[in-house]
Amino acid sequence: MGSQTRPYNDKTAGAIDRKRERERQNMLQSLYRSAPELATKLVQRLLDKHIIETTSAEAIREVFTNLFHKLPEMEDFDIQYKTAPLRGLVADPNFISLYLTQYIAEDLINHDTIQDIYGDDLEIYQAVDSVMGALRPPA
């Protein structure tokens, strides 16, 4: 991705790209392994922060669990495409939190058990990232 714009022999940038990709893969693997627990925490946080209103929290947990199992298998392009409208939302965003924020705003709103979704993109992102931030490696 970024290798096309850097000089051919720039080993430092290559090492940074490899490290970033390893961190990304580790986050996706952790998401997959912890899908049911993270889905439960996320739904509870969204309910506590009054971001979503639903008739069935269990159905929404299942939606997120399934999504967390599918996300590691998605093409990078699809993730980038979904998160593109939100890239400038916060400095140093968590790509999983960005994806889930956009998913909630665009797709989850159409789920049968969702009555309404409240808050702007930043409020949704902050609620999501308060749970998904645990996936990020320590700085």
Side-chain angles (χ1 to χ4, degrees), residues 75-98:
E75 294 290 328
D76 186 43
F77 174 81
D78 295 329
I79 294 171
Q80 294 293 331
Y81 183 77
K82 186 74 148 182
T83 61
L86 300 177
R87 281 194 198 125
L89 189 62
V90 294
D92 192 27
N94 178 340
F95 78 97
I96 293 173
S97 296
L98 281 181

Side-chain angles (χ1 to χ4, degrees), residues 42-54 57:
L42 179 60
V43 170
Q44 190 59 50
R45 184 65 45 93
L46 293 172
L47 289 169
D48 290 348
K49 297 283 186 180
H50 305 289
I51 301 291
I52 63 171
E53 188 176 317
T54 181

Side-chain angles (χ1 to χ4, degrees), residues 94-111:
N94 178 340
F95 78 97
I96 293 173
S97 296
L98 281 181
Y99 185 91
L100 294 174
T101 298
Q102 193 67 5
Y103 179 84
I104 290 166
E106 283 185 354
D107 302 323
L108 191 64
I109 188 75
N110 297 322
H111 193 273

Side-chain angles (χ1 to χ4, degrees), residues 22 55-56 78 126 128 137:
R22 260 192 323 272
T55 57
S56 173
D78 295 329
Q126 289 170 335
V128 169

Side-chain angles (χ1 to χ4, degrees), residues 6-48:
R6 68 174 190 256
Y8 176 75
N9 60 358
D10 188 353
K11 293 181 181 186
T12 304
I16 291 170
D17 287 346
R18 285 188 300 279
K19 181 180 182 223
R20 187 174 295 137
E21 184 57 29
R22 260 192 323 272
E23 287 175 354
R24 178 182 169 87
Q25 289 305 316
N26 288 340
M27 288 173 65
L28 288 169
Q29 288 172 5
S30 294
L31 179 69
Y32 184 87
R33 282 192 309 267
S34 305
E37 298 85 15
L38 287 171
T40 299
K41 287 180 184 179
L42 179 60
V43 170
Q44 190 59 50
R45 184 65 45 93
L46 293 172
L47 289 169
D48 290 348

